[in-house]
Amino acid sequence: MANSLDSNLSVPEIAGEIYFLEKAGRSLSDKALRKIDDDSYSWTDVVDEFNRCLEYLAGLFNLLELEHTEDIATDPNVNHVPVPANYMKNLWQCRSLTHNRLIKVYTSVINLGRWYSVIDQSGSVRGVAVKGRALYYQRIPGSAEILRLTYYRYPDRLNDRDDKPTCLPPHLVEPLLVNYACKEIYSEIEDGEDKQVNTDRYTNKFNSAVVALDAFLGPDRHAPLEFGQEIAWDVLV
């Protein structure tokens, strides 16, 4: 069976190629632990930091991979229901599947209430707003109305040492996660020191990766305007 390495390579060249293959095969957690070089930390500590990093970035940016649609039902005679368990932020569209129409999304429950002279009257849903972990709506349907929500969900958690996220651009996964884990762990190791050299080093690297992510994602998208279904298109011809 032929050797996968070129037999004509010199010893230093072979060693370099082996190192490249080993480095390419390392997990993200192994790469972070190699930089930290402290036996008191394990891959589970690093993966915990990876998950904190993902939630931080998902809160900071609207990551397209995390855009999610889910249907919920209103509770008859009650003006709110829990948001889906994976809801993180930015409810930007709501559609009534029961009545096949878009529902206005308000920025707060206070703004939602300002548009109704009498709160909690019965009727089909005309507006919604999120407060905490609940979706509030006006009016209140007497029977369950199905609403389709579009929002940004929490990122999937990483559990194993070889896990990688899918919600980030592949070329920025390592610079973001590894540098975040290093800066957080070194902030513990160097706590109390006058100069936190490694903490500052990896914080700067992480911040640079965040800037690169911001540039890669570009401006946030905006939902397109929708025309009403009862427009008389024939009169516009």
Side-chain angles (χ1 to χ4, degrees), residues 163-236:
D163 285 352
K164 290 184 179 181
T166 59
C167 60
L168 297 174
H171 67 290
L172 292 176
V173 168
E174 182 177 337
L176 288 166
L177 268 61
V178 171
N179 288 317
Y180 180 93
C182 287
K183 80 178 181 70
E184 291 298 307
I185 291 176
Y186 268 118
S187 70
E188 294 180 359
I189 296 172
E190 298 178 329
D191 184 35
E193 297 183 10
D194 292 336
K195 292 185 178 180
Q196 297 185 339
V197 177
N198 288 306
T199 303
D200 293 343
R201 176 188 180 192
Y202 289 107
T203 296
N204 291 335
K205 286 177 174 287
F206 173 71
N207 290 341
S208 295
V210 171
V211 171
L213 176 62
D214 187 27
F216 181 85
L217 295 175
D220 283 340
R221 297 182 307 153
H222 296 282
L225 296 176
E226 293 201 15
F227 292 101
Q229 293 182 339
E230 295 183 0
I231 289 180
W233 293 105
D234 55 324
V235 302
L236 300 178

Side-chain angles (χ1 to χ4, degrees), residues 3 9 24 39 80-81 91 100-101 119 152 201 227 234:
N3 195 315
L9 291 176
D39 292 339
H80 66 280
V81 292
L91 173 64
N100 191 28
R101 64 178 176 225
I119 301 296
Y152 290 89
R201 176 188 180 192
F227 292 101
D234 55 324

Side-chain angles (χ1 to χ4, degrees), residues 4-225:
S4 60
L5 296 177
D6 190 336
S7 60
N8 294 322
L9 291 176
S10 65
V11 171
E13 289 173 328
I14 292 175
E17 186 164 343
I18 292 175
Y19 173 77
F20 172 79
L21 293 173
E22 289 180 345
K23 184 177 180 181
R26 286 195 191 112
S27 67
L28 290 174
S29 58
D30 288 339
K31 291 178 181 179
L33 287 171
R34 184 171 177 271
K35 293 177 183 294
I36 295 164
D37 194 24
D38 188 319
D39 292 339
S40 61
Y41 292 93
S42 68
W43 68 266
T44 58
D45 299 309
V46 171
V47 171
D48 285 344
E49 296 299 341
F50 287 171
N51 284 318
R52 292 188 187 99
C53 179
L54 288 174
E55 287 204 10
Y56 171 77
L57 295 173
L60 191 61
F61 298 103
N62 290 332
L63 301 174
L64 296 184
E65 180 73 20
L66 301 182
E67 189 176 83
H68 183 75
T69 298
E70 189 156 332
D71 299 343
I72 66 169
T74 62
D75 190 351
N77 304 315
V78 178
N79 68 359
H80 66 280
V81 292
V83 294
N86 65 358
Y87 176 88
M88 184 179 193
K89 65 172 188 176
N90 292 4
L91 173 64
W92 66 269
Q93 188 177 87
C94 176
R95 177 180 291 277
S96 170
L97 298 186
T98 303
H99 300 292
N100 191 28
R101 64 178 176 225
L102 283 176
I103 303 297
K104 183 173 178 58
V105 178
Y106 291 87
T107 56
S108 69
V109 172
I110 292 176
N111 286 335
L112 171 63
R114 285 174 177 166
W115 287 90
Y116 298 91
S117 57
V118 180
I119 301 296
D120 293 345
Q121 283 188 324
S122 62
S124 59
V125 176
R126 297 291 180 173
V128 298
V130 174
K131 180 181 179 182
R133 300 297 299 172
L135 177 76
Y136 288 79
Y137 42 83
Q138 292 291 321
R139 307 287 192 205
I140 302 177
S143 58
E145 185 171 337
I146 306 302
L147 304 179
R148 175 160 292 175
L149 310 179
T150 304
Y151 55 88
Y152 290 89
R153 64 174 177 83
Y154 283 105
D156 295 328
R157 288 188 61 81
L158 307 181
N159 297 305
D160 298 323
R161 68 187 304 161
D162 296 325
D163 285 352
K164 290 184 179 181
T166 59
C167 60
L168 297 174
H171 67 290
L172 292 176
V173 168
E174 182 177 337
L176 288 166
L177 268 61
V178 171
N179 288 317
Y180 180 93
C182 287
K183 80 178 181 70
E184 291 298 307
I185 291 176
Y186 268 118
S187 70
E188 294 180 359
I189 296 172
E190 298 178 329
D191 184 35
E193 297 183 10
D194 292 336
K195 292 185 178 180
Q196 297 185 339
V197 177
N198 288 306
T199 303
D200 293 343
R201 176 188 180 192
Y202 289 107
T203 296
N204 291 335
K205 286 177 174 287
F206 173 71
N207 290 341
S208 295
V210 171
V211 171
L213 176 62
D214 187 27
F216 181 85
L217 295 175
D220 283 340
R221 297 182 307 153
H222 296 282
L225 296 176

